[in-house]
Amino acid sequence: MSKAIVATASLAGCFGCHMSILDIDDKILQLIELVEFNKSPIDDIKEFTKMCDVGLIEGGCCNSENIENLINFRKNCKILISVGECAIMGGLPALRNGIPIKECLDEAYLGGPTTGICNPDKIMPNDEELPMILDKVYPCHEIVKIDYFLPGCPPRAELIWEALTALLTGKEMNLPYEVIKFD
Ligand code: SF4
């Protein structure tokens, strides 16, 4: 059986979901038999080199680079999966959604408790190389079509493993309560 090609990305996430992908312990050896990673922080491949079977997305979209990256994943992955609460609902970064963007930037760079030390000249970053911050943090399915959602913060390693192997082998998912409950 030829290996499935998998790509992964972290947008506005904390890499905890990627840690959970790697937290499948010795099943990592089975995973290597089953899949080949393409563009992903796991193998540090920066650009797509072929069409992928599955894309795993961690994090929502908080800036223009996240949007470009997500659209690129949609184009290059047959199946796209939102992994974790940040990708599904915006997660912790979306706490800023109820606050005007100017207030957020002022707090971060001008008036926050540490800005006197870290940014004494009160410079608001404005290099044209920097991605533009969005008006709010968007969940991935509001930007592109998402095929599946794996909830959790992060989703448990067993859940990611079960979902991925079910998808790639056509076998039924085995999801005992402990795997899908969230404390
Ligand atoms: Fe991190 Fe949780 Fe967001 Fe995953 S869902 S990126 S673990 S904060």
Side-chain angles (χ1 to χ4, degrees), residues 147-160:
D147 302 293
Y148 297 101
F149 301 83
L150 292 180
C153 179
R156 288 173 183 241
E158 299 93 323
L159 175 58
I160 298 173

Side-chain angles (χ1 to χ4, degrees), residues 96-155:
R96 78 161 164 91
N97 285 1
I99 303 168
I101 191 74
K102 183 174 182 317
E103 268 184 50
C104 293
L105 291 171
D106 284 354
E107 177 70 12
Y109 295 106
L110 305 181
T114 58
T115 48
I117 301 163
C118 303
N119 188 19
D121 297 330
K122 296 193 181 295
I123 295 169
M124 190 73 80
N126 61 1
D127 193 300
E128 60 185 26
E129 292 284 323
L130 291 172
M132 287 296 293
I133 193 167
L134 302 177
D135 60 332
K136 63 173 193 160
V137 179
Y138 292 83
C140 294
H141 66 271
E142 288 190 15
I143 307 297
V144 298
K145 177 177 177 286
I146 296 291
D147 302 293
Y148 297 101
F149 301 83
L150 292 180
C153 179

Side-chain angles (χ1 to χ4, degrees), residues 76-96:
N76 286 281
C77 299
K78 294 177 197 158
I79 295 170
L80 207 51
I81 305 177
S82 274
V83 181
E85 296 309 324
C86 295
I88 296 172
M89 299 196 300
L92 214 54
L95 285 177
R96 78 161 164 91

